[in-house]
């Protein structure tokens, strides 16, 4: 199982059967269609890229084209059980606004992101003196969609300052998942990708 597959499995395990879901930055709809098949969810995806929207529609997902940095005005408060922001928060222009909006329209949110404090990232930067590249971070510095580089510790601090409750955390490393909060320093150092369930 590769990292993307594990990510999808972890998120799918979190979402309860029959939930109403908003998938923000849903890409080609692979995760959304998986949730429809395995969890019988209803809801909608939002994606800015027109080509990806077409692919998602071909998979049977209900998707609309939109820019989540502009807000979610079309959705009433608490109209979804869960909002998903999978590998997207770090590529938004206004992550604080996006988080506020998703927690307005959904009772709970699932947020996943690559941890830029992972030890391999630190070592790459330290020894090579260049922005790191890996399976999780395959881009060059000049074409990366990741415009807000953050760590597990940054996310904890962000949630504390904004009165966001962390209900669950899962840490992915080398295609393995572990739950719970260990010593934060160790978690931050050894986590390649983080998955959080949050609410207001």
């Amino acid at each position: 199982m590769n990292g993307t597959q594990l990510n999808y499995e972890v998120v799918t395990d979190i979402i309860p059967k029959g939930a109403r879901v908003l998938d923000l930055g849903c890409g080609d709809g692979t995760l959304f269609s998986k949730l429809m098949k395995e969890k019988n969810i209803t809801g909608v995806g939002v994606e800015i890229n027109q080509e990806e929207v077409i692919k998602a529609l071909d998979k049977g997902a209900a998707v609309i084209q939109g820019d989540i940095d502009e807000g979610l005005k079309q959705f009433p408060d608490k109209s979804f059980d869960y909002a998903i922001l999978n590998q997207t928060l770090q590529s938004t222009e206004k992550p604080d606004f996006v988080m506020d909006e998703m927690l307005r329209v959904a009772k709970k949110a699932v947020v996943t992101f690559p941890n830029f404090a992972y030890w391999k990232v630190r070592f790459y930067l330290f020894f090579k003196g260049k922005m790191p590249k890996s399976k999780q971070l395959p881009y060059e510095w000049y074409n990366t969609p990741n415009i807000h580089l953050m760590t597990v510790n940054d996310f904890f601090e962000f949630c504390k300052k904004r009165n966001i409750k962390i209900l669950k955390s899962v840490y992915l490393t080398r295609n393995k998942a572990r739950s719970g909060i260990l010593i934060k320093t160790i978690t931050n150092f050894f986590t390649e990708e983080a998955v959080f369930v949050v609410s207001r």
Side-chain angles (χ1 to χ4, degrees):
M1 183 182 293
N2 64 36
T4 300
Q5 290 171 325
L6 179 60
N7 170 293
Y8 288 172
E9 289 299 325
V10 169
V11 174
T12 300
D13 285 345
I14 290 168
I15 303 297
K17 287 185 177 179
R20 181 156 172 77
V21 174
L22 176 64
D23 189 357
L24 300 171
C26 65
D28 67 1
T30 300
L31 175 59
F32 196 84
S33 59
K34 178 179 175 65
L35 289 168
M36 287 193 301
K37 290 172 189 170
E38 297 183 19
K39 291 299 183 82
N40 197 31
I41 63 132
T42 58
V44 65
V46 179
E47 171 59 41
I48 193 169
N49 185 299
Q50 186 175 4
E51 290 180 6
E52 296 288 271
V53 169
I54 292 168
K55 290 176 186 176
L57 292 170
D58 286 343
K59 288 183 173 74
V63 179
I64 59 173
Q65 187 173 9
D67 183 352
I68 60 176
D69 273 310
E70 294 179 359
L72 303 169
K73 296 181 288 293
Q74 65 271 48
F75 302 116
D77 293 2
K78 300 296 181 259
S79 50
F80 296 92
D81 299 308
Y82 282 82
I84 298 172
L85 197 62
N86 189 33
Q87 294 291 325
T88 305
L89 183 62
Q90 72 279 0
S91 62
T92 60
E93 291 183 8
K94 300 177 281 189
D96 50 350
F97 175 66
V98 170
M99 284 286 292
D100 285 343
E101 277 288 270
M102 70 187 298
L103 288 170
R104 176 185 65 78
V105 303
K107 296 169 188 172
K108 296 178 183 176
V110 179
V111 181
T112 83
F113 56 88
N115 177 33
F116 286 88
Y118 181 48
W119 71 269
K120 284 189 177 180
V121 174
R122 297 185 193 204
F123 276 48
Y124 194 107
L125 187 58
F126 183 79
F127 287 110
K128 292 196 175 186
K130 299 194 306 182
M131 290 304 293
K133 286 178 67 177
S134 66
K135 287 181 181 178
Q136 283 291 108
L137 305 166
Y139 307 98
E140 299 289 351
W141 66 267
Y142 52 83
N143 65 7
T144 179
N146 301 317
I147 58 177
H148 292 287
L149 312 185
M150 62 180 172
T151 71
V152 169
N153 286 357
D154 287 326
F155 190 76
F156 274 107
E157 188 176 291
F158 173 85
C159 290
K160 185 177 181 181
K161 285 181 178 178
R162 302 189 73 83
N163 296 314
I164 296 171
K165 298 173 188 172
I166 295 175
L167 306 177
K168 181 175 182 174
S169 55
V170 182
Y171 306 106
L172 313 183
T173 307
R174 292 186 180 178
N175 304 330
K176 293 180 182 177
R178 63 188 191 282
S179 298
I181 298 174
L182 304 173
I183 299 170
K184 280 188 183 180
T185 305
I186 294 173
T187 299
N188 201 35
F189 193 74
F190 288 108
T191 297
E192 193 169 7
E193 180 184 348
V195 181
F196 288 95
V197 182
V198 298
S199 72
R200 282 292 187 197

